[in-house]
Amino acid sequence: MEIIFVAGINGVGKGQFFRRLKDDIPFYSSTELINKYRENNGVNEDNALITSLSKLKEDKIYLSGHFCFIGGEYNIVRTPIERFKSLNIKKIIILYTEYEIIAMRLIHRSDRFYTSELIKEFQRKEMEYGIEVANLLNIEYEIVRI
């Protein structure tokens, strides 16, 4: 299966991006695939994602996910590169938008408070690490303002 990995921080507009696409390639959320499989099997995130993807029948998919996440102490944590190495990623699309838009979206969907500075830093690190992963794994990438 060929994967186009679509990344961006929480609230950037990954769902909106997928709704605007004009092709017939299906899209999946890494988080939803992981959670769905883990509920029934109690395995770690990487195994859950790989197993969930192996059950899909499509030849090509969009997969949304994150290069970084915010930890319990509001620290920005990189997703281990091993996760990306284990996937058949053919292209990476990194989404970004104005931090004010992200802040408004997060107010409505999270019980955590994110400062403007944290959102700016989170988005910067997501983009930097996404480009780093793409370069290390020799994957084509594109940065898209949404």
Side-chain angles (χ1 to χ4, degrees), residues 8-20:
I9 68 171
N10 300 350
V12 75
K14 292 182 291 293
Q16 180 183 57
F17 174 78
F18 289 128
R19 285 188 293 277
R20 291 181 180 172

Side-chain angles (χ1 to χ4, degrees), residues 20-118:
R20 291 181 180 172
L21 292 174
K22 302 295 184 208
D23 57 34
D24 293 328
I25 301 171
F27 62 90
Y28 296 91
S29 159
S30 295
T31 302
E32 289 176 9
L33 290 174
I34 289 167
N35 290 342
K36 183 177 177 182
Y37 192 80
R38 283 179 75 185
E39 283 177 11
N40 301 321
N41 300 287
V43 298
N44 71 34
E45 285 187 9
D46 292 331
N47 289 339
L49 181 58
I50 292 166
T51 303
S52 292
L53 288 170
S54 72
K55 295 178 183 293
L56 300 178
K57 305 295 185 215
E58 293 88 0
D59 293 327
K60 185 176 188 177
I61 66 166
Y62 289 104
L63 180 66
S64 69
H66 306 277
F67 287 106
C68 299
F69 60 93
I70 296 180
E73 299 295 320
Y74 289 94
N75 54 326
I76 299 168
V77 181
R78 289 178 162 197
T79 301
I81 195 167
E82 289 73 24
R83 178 172 297 174
F84 304 107
K85 286 180 180 178
S86 67
L87 303 174
N88 188 26
I89 299 174
K90 297 299 182 193
K91 182 175 182 178
I92 293 170
I93 300 173
I94 304 169
L95 304 178
Y96 75 98
T97 195
E98 291 80 18
Y99 74 90
E100 298 94 345
I101 293 171
I102 295 169
M104 290 304 298
R105 290 175 180 158
L106 291 177
I107 286 171
H108 298 292
R109 76 160 81 149
S110 177
D111 57 352
R112 295 178 79 180
F113 176 75
Y114 300 94
T115 65
S116 298
E117 293 77 24
L118 179 62

